[in-house]
Amino acid sequence: MFKQGFSLVFVRDVTPRELLIRFGCTEASLQWLTSSDTQELELEDGDEGEGAVIMAGACGEWSFALQHWGARILEEGVIEQIAAGTDMVALISTATAPAFIHVHDGHEVCGFDPGLPHLRSGADPDRYLDRMAQAGLPTDGTAVPGDPVMAMLRFTETAFGFSLSQPLLMEEEQLTGRVPDDSA
């Protein structure tokens, strides 16, 4: 999918615009860009101290937000801000923080590292055991066969019904915003 890492967040019953605002993007920064344009914007402005660039779109009753390379979702208070009054699912694959997190109204339901799915956290850590096993995420401590991140993506597709096509993520323009550096 994205070899250099990503964070992909789904939020129920929140518009893409509202999701970007909850991430901390400014209204003035919102524009329609493709994924490659978003990556170029991040690379061009990265040395100037600009904040994270996040793109958002719709997926049924859920909106999604994609951040290339980073994980703003893991910054202090961001999960609570995004998941307030709704469900949120985050899929993170960065060099330092691979993770699946399901949050309801700001409270973690279930979370795990896809490479160590037997170590789960949250109020209901065993909620998805059957679906995890079906997706290739063993919950008994045995090694994950194949790519743990791909297994995490398969798991979330079956557990939540998310289905984002490559053209949607890579070619179609999505609403994109920037989080100012001083908002972290």
Side-chain angles (χ1 to χ4, degrees), residues 85-146:
T86 191
D87 278 302
M88 181 208 79
V89 174
L91 310 169
I92 301 157
S93 177
T94 64
T96 58
F100 164 86
I101 307 166
H102 175 201
V103 176
H104 176 73
D105 197 17
H107 302 286
E108 184 180 7
V109 175
C110 179
F112 59 86
D113 177 323
L116 303 167
H118 63 288
L119 303 175
R120 294 174 305 283
S121 59
D124 192 0
D126 296 339
R127 177 179 284 197
Y128 302 112
L129 291 181
D130 290 341
R131 295 228 168 120
M132 290 173 71
Q134 290 171 357
L137 293 166
T139 58
D140 61 2
T142 59
V144 175

Side-chain angles (χ1 to χ4, degrees), residues 14-61:
V14 172
T15 67
R17 177 178 293 279
E18 176 61 25
L19 180 53
L20 290 173
I21 299 303
R22 287 183 181 205
F23 257 103
C25 296
T26 62
E27 278 282 345
S29 74
L30 300 183
Q31 58 185 314
W32 291 90
L33 297 172
T34 64
S35 181
S36 61
D37 291 339
T38 300
Q39 291 176 60
E40 284 181 35
L41 180 64
E42 181 99 30
L43 290 173
E44 287 173 6
D45 296 339
D47 294 336
E48 298 174 17
E50 300 287 341
V53 176
I54 301 169
M55 60 186 289
C59 177
E61 66 181 16

